[in-house]
Amino acid sequence: MSLSILAIDDSRTMRDLLRSALEEVGFSVTTAENGADGVGKLDSAAPDVIITDINMPVMDGFGVIEAVRRSNGAGSIPILVLSTESGEDLKDRARVLGATGWIVKPFDDQRLISAIRRVARV
């Protein structure tokens, strides 16, 4: 099963790591360098799962979650937060806004792939 992933992170290194890990198992990956870029690519990427960082310029991950949940057609796409942050208050805020899960960086490739497969609705 080939899944389409939209990976949003302001770090080029993190985007490259995500692309490498996910394409290796056959996922199609579109990357975005901040939340606004990611939301702008939502329609063209048609992702099965969105992965977003929290701390980014222009639009942070909370803004991404809000924008996706308000959008027509994309509102039910699973959103995994991938962040160095691990505070319960941040996790709670993301959950209330509609995040599906939270993974702390640095990520383990197999755990991330497993989480993606678990939340994907295809």
Side-chain angles (χ1 to χ4, degrees):
M1 159 174 66
S2 178
L3 295 174
S4 175
I5 310 297
L6 175 58
I8 308 168
D9 200 298
D10 58 320
S11 161
R12 176 182 296 280
T13 302
M14 185 55 60
R15 290 192 308 270
D16 290 347
L17 285 170
L18 285 165
R19 178 184 297 284
S20 173
L22 300 178
E23 286 183 345
E24 191 173 296
V25 294
F27 295 169
S28 168
V29 180
T30 300
T31 59
E33 61 190 33
N34 61 56
D37 185 31
V39 170
K41 291 180 175 177
L42 200 52
D43 287 340
S44 63
D48 297 305
V49 177
I50 297 167
I51 298 170
T52 186
D53 189 13
I54 286 294
N55 299 314
M56 297 180 288
V58 187
M59 177 190 284
D60 67 11
F62 296 118
V64 169
I65 297 166
E66 287 180 293
V68 170
R69 292 299 176 239
R70 281 195 317 260
S71 70
N72 292 330
S76 65
I77 297 170
I79 302 172
L80 294 175
V81 174
L82 182 63
S83 176
T84 56
E85 303 285 348
S86 60
E88 286 305 316
D89 56 329
L90 297 175
K91 290 180 182 178
D92 287 344
R93 181 176 171 201
R95 197 174 302 116
V96 166
L97 291 173
T100 311
W102 189 289
I103 298 168
V104 178
K105 293 177 187 172
F107 66 93
D108 173 80
D109 290 6
Q110 291 311 310
R111 279 188 149 150
L112 177 62
I113 291 162
S114 172
I116 290 169
R117 287 188 170 130
R118 192 169 49 251
V119 301
R121 297 191 175 116
V122 288

